[in-house]
Amino acid sequence: MAILAVNAGSSSLKFSLHPLLGGQVQPSVLSGCIEGLEPGGQPEMAWAFAGQRQRQAVAGPGETPFLQALACLRVLLAGLEGAPQIAAVAHRVVHGGEDFCASVLVTDAVLERLARLNSLAPLHQPHNLAGIRSFRQAFPALPQVACFDTAFHAGLPEVASAFALPAALTEQGVRRYGFHGLSYHYLMDTLRERTPRAQGRVLMAHLGNGASLCAARGGRSVATTMGFSALDGLMMGTRSGTLDAGVLLYLMEQGWDHDRIQKLLYKQSGLLGVSGISADMRRLRADGSAAAQRAIDQFTYRVLRESGAMVASMGGLDVLAFSGGIGENDAVLRAEVCERLGWMGVRMDAERNVRAQGDDAAQAIHVQGSAVEVWVIPTDEGRVAAREAARLLHPRDDAAPAEAVLADSD
């Protein structure tokens, strides 16, 4: 048996299949992504299985691109010789709000409550939920599990989660939730396996198109840069990050409406907005123009500034971990951040840093004797979601019903 982990976005569907061995979730045996699902796009599926990589166009006349993709995925899963059977589907959901502090089996009532949070994560939440609905329709007998990015931060101390607003608003749920929780969960588990310092003061940097920092002490989140929505904190690919609320009041005075402001903050700012070139750090590195460098410098500065705040909240630093598309692959950014955090005792090994380029395994890049350990850890949100689904469904204690469910779905 296995858990299928999926992450449905606005234009893509990421998936991975994780076998269950002795009740424990294993690394994926199948992973892939279907891209081009936006209206008018040309859907294409790429996947890796048994050491082989394949790519194919997704076709399905008369269907929406997402349903085309789902039909193609079903055919793929059915045709892979030796692939384990699916016991459940685990979905990444960005926002759980106050109602959901842990993974949950999906019901109609759960979907209705989660849909109320769409405005807090408009780039993610509606698409996450659309994916769940489609999978429920395609696999009606399989349990569907929602796994939340906010759950890792559910235990934030009140002083870290509360905004300086009237208590009535706080009681309505206007507070800091934090995101990238599945990634941070994976990073903490990985660090625990590799270093005793993981139980100390850990700063985790998930740097990609979406970017945030998390301060953890004793393996628990104590502070994070993202807040009520996925806009706060670091500068990102197209999102502004922390912004003086007075700017929004000014724009409203200039006649900007909700939709225009939302588009600015979520889709026209960040690396793209500052550079005017691209939201992709790789393209900006290759561009070499002053505008591209300005965006890179601002991104790096924001990582440094927010790192100081996170470390202050913990009273020091024992471990620094980089992850996400930029964190795993941009050695230049890691070198600049580590050099400028040298006053904290960070000592990076330049050669190790260059070699750490998003491989499958966690890699230490600090020099021997560094007061702070530095790691590069390719994240695996799908595996964490699969673990959550397995824990929720207790497959070791309930293997027969899981097999019966699968048989019914056939």
Side-chain angles (χ1 to χ4, degrees):
M1 306 300 291
I3 306 292
L4 178 65
V6 300
N7 181 2
S10 60
S11 61
S12 66
L13 173 68
K14 297 178 182 178
F15 57 89
S16 54
L17 189 63
H18 299 264
L20 296 170
L21 182 61
Q24 299 297 312
V25 172
Q26 304 301 306
S28 64
V29 294
L30 165 71
S31 62
C33 183
I34 305 175
E35 298 179 315
L37 299 182
E38 68 277 4
Q42 299 294 322
E44 189 176 58
M45 179 166 65
W47 75 93
F49 177 72
Q52 297 186 352
R53 297 181 180 274
Q54 302 285 339
R55 181 178 292 273
Q56 70 178 71
V58 174
E63 300 183 70
T64 66
F66 191 89
L67 290 178
Q68 293 175 28
L70 191 52
C72 194
L73 179 57
R74 290 192 68 179
V75 172
L76 172 65
L77 292 170
L80 290 176
E81 185 177 351
Q85 295 179 311
I86 303 171
V89 183
H91 299 264
R92 179 198 177 201
V93 178
V94 166
H95 214 309
E98 286 198 304
D99 291 338
F100 302 103
C101 297
S103 301
V104 63
L105 278 169
V106 175
T107 64
D108 291 339
V110 166
L111 283 174
E112 182 180 348
R113 288 157 71 186
L114 291 174
R116 298 172 191 166
L117 304 172
N118 282 352
S119 63
L120 304 188
L123 293 186
H124 304 89
Q125 193 85 353
H127 308 294
N128 298 158
L129 302 187
I132 293 176
R133 294 187 186 99
S134 297
F135 272 86
R136 290 182 82 199
Q137 181 179 349
F139 301 94
L142 286 181
Q144 309 285 327
V145 177
C147 307
F148 303 104
D149 259 344
T150 48
F152 186 76
H153 308 289
L156 279 174
E158 183 180 1
V159 70
S161 66
F163 294 126
L165 293 171
L169 287 173
T170 302
E171 291 167 2
Q172 292 175 29
V174 180
R175 63 173 180 83
R176 184 177 302 279
Y177 289 96
F179 300 91
H180 290 138
L182 295 178
S183 178
Y184 291 135
H185 189 159
Y186 182 81
L187 300 187
M188 279 306 313
D189 285 350
T190 302
L191 286 169
R192 281 195 186 103
E193 293 171 356
R194 286 163 172 78
T195 173
R197 292 196 191 182
Q199 285 302 111
R201 300 161 297 183
V202 179
L203 175 61
M204 296 176 283
H206 181 105
L207 307 178
N209 190 51
S212 70
L213 303 178
C214 174
R217 191 167 49 213
R220 300 173 63 88
S221 174
V222 296
T224 188
T225 55
M226 281 186 169
F228 179 65
S229 72
L231 275 174
D232 202 10
L234 301 180
M235 174 180 173
M236 305 177 220
T238 62
R239 283 171 268 175
S240 63
T242 298
L243 185 69
D244 182 347
V247 174
L248 307 184
L249 296 176
Y250 168 77
L251 294 177
M252 292 171 66
E253 291 170 0
Q254 302 303 307
W256 288 50
D257 63 11
H258 170 277
D259 290 350
R260 189 179 178 190
I261 291 175
Q262 184 181 78
K263 186 176 182 180
L264 169 72
L265 298 180
Y266 278 99
K267 297 183 177 181
Q268 298 176 332
S269 300
L271 290 171
L272 175 63
V274 174
S275 70
I277 299 169
S278 176
D280 190 322
M281 181 67 83
R282 294 166 298 184
R283 183 175 171 188
L284 295 179
R285 289 281 187 202
D287 186 273
S289 66
Q293 191 59 49
R294 186 182 307 116
I296 294 170
D297 290 345
Q298 193 166 335
F299 183 93
T300 306
Y301 169 77
R302 293 290 288 273
V303 171
L304 288 163
R305 192 185 75 171
E306 298 298 333
S307 292
M310 293 293 104
V311 173
S313 74
M314 296 185 288
L317 183 62
D318 299 304
V319 179
L320 169 62
F322 291 95
S323 194
I326 297 174
E328 294 168 22
N329 295 287
D330 195 323
V332 175
L333 180 132
R334 292 195 302 261
E336 291 179 355
V337 169
C338 288
E339 180 182 358
R340 293 169 69 178
L341 294 181
W343 60 275
M344 293 184 183
V346 178
R347 297 290 183 270
M348 188 196 69
D349 184 306
E351 186 176 341
R352 286 183 175 182
N353 180 50
V354 171
R355 289 202 306 264
Q357 294 294 320
D359 294 336
D360 292 335
Q363 299 168 76
I365 62 170
H366 51 274
V367 300
Q368 187 174 4
S370 176
V372 176
E373 291 187 1
V374 186
W375 291 80
V376 178
I377 305 176
T379 194
D380 192 344
E381 295 163 315
R383 190 172 181 184
V384 173
R387 286 173 181 167
E388 287 292 290
R391 177 190 59 79
L392 192 63
L393 298 170
H394 302 294
R396 282 188 293 180
D397 300 329
D398 198 19
E403 292 174 4
V405 166
L406 184 65
D408 290 343
S409 71
D410 290 339

